[in-house]
Amino acid sequence: MKLFRVNDKGQAWLSSQPETAMGVQIVGTHGSFADESLFILGGQVAFRFHDYFPAELEDAPLDMNALPWAQDNNSEDETDSIQPFSAWLAELEVLSLDLTDLQVIPRVEFTLFPTGPFTSPPQPGAWTYGHLPFAGTTGANEVYYRWEPWPISRRINQSKRTILSGTFTAPMSEVPFMPTGFSAVARLALPQLLPACYRWEVRPPANTPMRCGASVPMFGQSGGGVEVAFPGGFKNVGPIANPVVLPAL
């Protein structure tokens, strides 16, 4: 699976768009979502849909030793991970997004179907059952968490204390069930292979509009977690701490 670095213009555009799932944006042209789609992880790194299930992946898995920021960090501080991540990111081939006819595909319009050696699945329905079916507002003093794949977030601005519109989180009750990067991918049914090792804590003001629901099984993952999305984003109550660095396994 070849990874690409999204160019600066593409990253800026992605920051203005909602997420498909926590830390993931699936991008395609209007009316053409399948093999031409791109998966964007953390608003910075991309891979192509048709590379998601290469036959060779089982025989040649990704080398975890080549992903130093995804390893356990006893300091629980992201600062030691930024330098190796930035160096690794700079070495990736740049992918220049043509923004003429692109859109971020919402989860209700996209279902990942394996190809190649897998059994052909049934055809998808017109919508995804159970996707954030409830709308409401936050209460006072509520805390939410967010698991991301990279130490540098494109959805959270610490200096301005802002969280972008269309950003996914989970309530405090989910923290014990996602102690590692891979467990977050499984429980949140994320369409990605890489672990989400960086856990951010955010605090929306009272009465912030949100949508919530259970994460249903999708993308070959178990689901079962509780998701909360903020369609309009918000300004954090107080400073935003650096993310806690979780082990991958």
Side-chain angles (χ1 to χ4, degrees), residues 113-128:
F113 284 119
T115 58
F118 296 86
T119 302
S120 297
Q123 291 299 309
W127 53 280
T128 301

Side-chain angles (χ1 to χ4, degrees), residues 8-88:
D8 292 343
K9 186 176 181 180
Q11 289 191 35
W13 177 78
L14 289 163
S15 296
S16 70
Q17 304 299 310
E19 293 186 295
T20 305
M22 188 183 297
V24 183
Q25 291 165 300
I26 301 175
V27 175
T29 58
H30 292 276
S32 179
F33 298 155
D35 288 347
E36 298 178 13
S37 297
L38 292 170
F39 284 53
I40 312 292
L41 304 185
Q44 301 164 81
V45 177
F47 62 91
R48 294 189 173 94
F49 176 87
H50 56 70
D51 289 336
Y52 199 85
F53 292 101
E56 299 82 6
L57 188 58
E58 185 172 341
D59 297 327
L62 294 171
D63 182 6
M64 285 295 294
N65 292 328
L67 310 177
W69 62 94
Q71 306 303 309
D72 194 2
N73 185 326
N74 293 329
S75 69
E76 295 194 340
D77 189 339
E78 101 294 357
T79 54
D80 293 336
S81 299
I82 289 179
Q83 184 174 356
F85 168 70
S86 297
W88 172 84

Side-chain angles (χ1 to χ4, degrees), residues 73-144:
N73 185 326
N74 293 329
S75 69
E76 295 194 340
D77 189 339
E78 101 294 357
T79 54
D80 293 336
S81 299
I82 289 179
Q83 184 174 356
F85 168 70
S86 297
W88 172 84
L89 189 64
E91 293 296 319
L92 293 181
E93 181 180 337
V94 176
L95 178 67
S96 297
L97 293 182
D98 181 1
L99 307 180
T100 305
D101 197 34
L102 286 183
Q103 67 171 346
V104 172
I105 305 168
R107 199 182 312 183
V108 294
E109 297 179 12
F110 187 93
T111 301
L112 177 62
F113 284 119
T115 58
F118 296 86
T119 302
S120 297
Q123 291 299 309
W127 53 280
T128 301
Y129 169 78
H131 176 60
L132 301 178
F134 301 102
T137 57
T138 58
N141 303 316
E142 291 185 356
V143 180
Y144 293 86

Side-chain angles (χ1 to χ4, degrees), residues 56 64 69 73 95 105 117 133 172 182 188 212 224 230 236 240:
E56 299 82 6
M64 285 295 294
W69 62 94
N73 185 326
L95 178 67
I105 305 168
M172 182 185 296
F182 283 123
L188 296 172
C212 61
F230 293 94
N236 203 68
I240 300 175

